[in-house]
Amino acid sequence: MFLAAVAEPSLSASAASPPAYVTRAAFAQVLAQDLHLPPTPDAPQAFPDLPQADPAYGPLMAVYNAGWISGYPDGTFRPNAPLTREQVAKAEIIALGLGGQAAGLADIRPAYRDSGDIGRWAYGYIDKATRIGILAGTTQGLFEPQANFTQVELEYAESRLTAYIAAAPVPELAILPSATAGPAVGTTSVAASPWRAGDRLAFAVSAAPLVRPTRLAALPQDLVMYAPGESLTASPGAYVGIYELTPGSRVWACSSLHLSAAQVTGPPAGLRLFGPAVGPAQARAATGPFTLRLVDPSGNPTPAPPGGVTAVLAAGGPGTHLFALSQGGPAVTAVTIPPGGTGASFYYGATRPGTQVLRATAGAFPAATRDLHVVAGPPAAIVLCGPAQGIASRAARMGPFTLSLRDALGNPASAPLGGFPIALGSTSHGGIFALSRDGQRIHAVVVAAGRSVARFYYADAFSGDPAITAQAPEVPSVRQILTVRPATVTGMTLQGPASGAAGASVGPFTVTLTDAAGQIVPAPTGGITIALGSSSTDPHAFVSVRGQRVASVRIGSGGESRSFYYHDSGPGAYLLSASAPGVRAATREVDVAGRTPVAGRALDSQTAAPTRSEVRAWYSQGMRNIFLNTFAPSFAARYAASLRRLDVILFQGYWTPAFVDQRGAARAQFAIRAARAVGYPKGADIFVDIESTGQATARHMVAWINSWSLAVARAGYKPGVYFGVPQPVSARAAGLLLAESYWKSYSAWGITPAVHGTCAYQTHIYRAMDTDWLGKDRLGRPCVGAGI
């Protein structure tokens, strides 16, 4: 029997001190930097745990879209998770474009003493990485494929990767260069495209063929920087070398061309417009210069005829538009290319952000256009918006309030690198601020880099008309007057678990005060005493959080809630109540079930939550027990429905990657939280499903299961193991386990723990579900669950 695998819930990354290992995010950024991969900050968001506001978003999305590092099956990226050494080998080989060569070594196990721990999928990547010298094993002949990649190893790998790249042959340019006629005989325009955004192009002219360099080779001494649209002077038959230079002036790619003899400019045939692609919003024409160039039919710059060429300037986009012949100069509407000249320059300005389309038209020539992305200026003002009134409270619930950055023209402005901190203040001594509703107290908010808005919540313990303020350096402060009304308690809510065990503590239950709108409010002066009740006819009791038996709870002045526990000696569905004079009462239904040793016939969990009629039918057919998967959809509904007739035992479904990517103790927390949520009684069994364990070894699985078992035992439950196939644990290895109960499938008869034996085993398949027999193990211990 193979129990259905269930997708793992997402895990939150801790923001504590940096880990000893290298995170996926840090490694990806280093790899992108070393291989000169440009970031893609505008890429669509692909992972819920990788927001676009994260400074690392652009590099990480570039690495992901390049196929160097992938996400996880549950749809997350996990930027703060570690990488194993075999994962690093795969990422670096794919990034270097050597994945095809590594595929040819996929069936050859690398020559390391611990090669048995290397996943088969990683054979070729590790072999190739060690052959070219970017990774290495230990002095003991080990590779340690499952070890987390450390900072020390990253520095070594980065140095080896840099050396490998530097010695590699220089590739051809992305688009091979071409030459067209220039404005005079012997003048040539050269067009080429670099491999990577941000790289520069340079060229050299020689009468002899140019030698193809490597990245370590010196460039020709007569190298001249080349800007798009410029021309070079060369004799027909000359050789031109084109070199792509990284920001660090390294040669990344190159090519050469042999100039033809007929390179003479043609008559004027059109206009071309060149200039910056991005500029700030401003009230004067200061972005530029933009160059309007007269070209021949081949696109080469060509001289203007006698009288020159006058072009009318216009722009389409939001805001006011200004043109000037000098930076910040008087406004103009046209620009003239003088006789014999090939171009003229001008400057431009717009008051609103957005994409502006600059246009130049002259006579019968086709219009020349240029897109300019206008961005807001630096923050120069803050705008504060939010509700005008609220109710007095000690928890921040009024809001959200919004702080928006504006530039000098009133446009939304983006915070600089490092963010834009804004201090918050209130004229009331009882005022507090928080980043989220009911969140922890703060004194400032930070508008994240690249963002223009930040939000916060406010609370005031006193009624009145306080003023809240927001201020930042070099920006005028802002304030808003609020009206805070006294809180009036008109009702309450009662919350807590929906089920629990007879004779055990069920809870905590929490009673919370509310107003007429359902908002949480504090108790008035003098406090409120709340009476507690239950519909149970069996002996029952209410217990305070300090362990004292009580009939009521009291919420003191300014308090908002109080918690308690409930005990009942008999199973059943009971209605708990909380009431106080003049306040609307609250109720909560709780299903109390017994905790019982289980025996006899049982069913494994099906794929949907059972109905009451199904449970009754199973009971009439002799079934007395059911195993429920804590990872199954509608788990709480399954649990509540099953308890009406059947005893319930919980198990945690398997998810193969967890056996390698997580520790057993971390995986156990999911089952523990699920058991607590439905009130599963302490001391009852929780089994972990061990099957389809992938590349995990028997030694690894014993350590993993023991880690899981200790976590379950510390939570107060009885740890158990389900043995299915395939998995590496033998009967002898099972003797090293710390679990207390064992349950095995009908396909895993060879695995019998030598000391304990099994208390549950599968017998056959019943209507697409497995049936089981429950009894006692060799030590005389039965399985324990929650039952009627």
Side-chain angles (χ1 to χ4, degrees), residues 7 80 113 171 187 206 212 238 311 331 345 388 471 500 502 553 584 591 617 651 675 709 735 745:
N80 294 325
R113 291 172 53 198
T187 302
S206 173
R212 183 182 183 84
S345 298
Q471 57 185 356
V553 293
R584 187 174 61 254
D591 192 350
F651 74 91
S709 299
S745 73

Side-chain angles (χ1 to χ4, degrees), residues 540-565:
H540 62 273
F542 296 94
V543 180
S544 70
V545 294
R546 296 184 179 179
Q548 300 171 336
R549 186 165 180 164
V550 297
S552 63
V553 293
R554 181 171 179 78
I555 301 178
S557 301
E560 297 172 345
S561 62
R562 185 69 66 191
S563 297
F564 61 89
Y565 289 84

